[in-house]
Amino acid sequence: MSGDVGLIRCPEARIYDHGPGHPLRPDRVLLTWELIAATDLDRRPGVRVLGCEPASDEVLGLVHTQEYIEATKAAGSGEEGNWTRFGYGPGDNPIFDRMHEAGALVAGASVDAARAVWSGERLHAFNAAGGLHHAMPARASGFCVYDDPAVAIAWLLREGAQRIAYVDVDVHHGDGVQAIFWDEPRVLTISIHEYEPGWFFPGTGAITERGGPGAEGSAINVPLPPDTGDEGWLHAFRAVIPPAVERFDPDVLVTQLGCDSHASDPLAQLRLTTRAYRECAKELHALAHRAADGRWVATGGGGYQWARVVPRAWTLYFAEMADALDDLPDGLPEGFIEEAERRAKAPVPTTFSEPDLVAGPSDHAARAVADQVRRIVLEG
Ligand SMILES: [Zn+2]
Ligand SMILES: [Zn+2]
């Protein structure tokens, strides 16, 4: 089905900035919007660009404690306090100026994407600035202030959605969203991620994590070994995710599209190429139509090759949402390449496609994990 796609574009979201040297650079999202514009995807028939409003305290409060929201406001406006209690401090979650406003804007953008879809105004909507899936109800974690996918899901439940499927393809486990809906049978969370207990962040996401009392089976995890490549990852995705979502029969599909699973990502060890994102986009799109009457709310997520990978990955996903993936020229527009290289001060790839990598050394092990998850989740 073509058309009816919303692109949330809110350049103000650049204030979500932990400062120079932090890997989560606002340019990731800004360059994504630039590449989407440079490829004319935002001017396709049926595509509408939507702005965003910050989430209110009340909407953030669907997920986060009032105490945490107040602490975030105070810390981000320079007040002294014991902010480490809320996860803030040197390291992953440094305090930055207007931290609350920035987090509320990102969360509001995901709620706006959810509103566009739930109202029927748009069939699919994409908030590239979102996907901050590690934030907990009362604690910042993994670069994430407010958990925008969870806030959007909680908002959808409040508006009357009965069943929501959340699919998280970020290289890191979607621990915040899983924890927030652990006891909630109306929300199915599925995360496919790199997993190596003991050192790889956040350390959760084992097969055995399946949901709390009364919600058993509402969490599904596909933990893959480092060095999994396109083939092993796609096999694992296809073996578990479409059948699990179809069986759940959701009203809405919410996806977190982190692309830190790329072979060149500095923070992780999977070995995907843009081919996997292209295939994944097609799978998710077809799944949204098959299982959720087309209702698809998509967010960005991790991805730390901010000039070389993220804009290409998320433009591929958006092109698929707009039914334009097969018409998308492989070469990137000159103007975009110049701008990306100017900001990165280094060369960037000039095509969406990439040479295939030799099969990931862990592809065989990844298949075995997927088959095990499938046995437990779908046949158990
Ligand atoms: Zn569609
Ligand atoms: Zn990540």
Side-chain angles (χ1 to χ4, degrees), residues 322-345:
D323 278 326
L325 185 57
D326 292 332
D327 314 337
L328 188 68
D330 192 41
L332 306 189
E334 273 307 318
F336 171 81
I337 295 170
E338 280 169 26
E339 179 57 23
E341 293 188 339
R342 188 184 66 77
R343 292 197 210 175
K345 300 182 179 69

Side-chain angles (χ1 to χ4, degrees), residues 133-134 170-172 260 302-304:
H133 61 165
H134 297 303
D170 192 281
V171 80
H172 300 98
D260 38 9
Y304 304 98

Side-chain angles (χ1 to χ4, degrees), residues 1-5 123-124 285-286 288-289 294 296 320-323:
M1 185 168 173
S2 66
D4 295 338
V5 181
L123 200 51
H124 316 317
H285 189 196
H289 283 282
W296 181 13
E320 175 59 30
M321 292 183 110
D323 278 326

Side-chain angles (χ1 to χ4, degrees), residues 170-190:
D170 192 281
V171 80
H172 300 98
H173 177 225
D175 58 340
V177 183
Q178 176 180 289
I180 288 159
F181 299 110
W182 185 247
D183 296 322
E184 175 53 84
R186 294 176 297 170
V187 179
L188 172 68
T189 64
I190 309 180

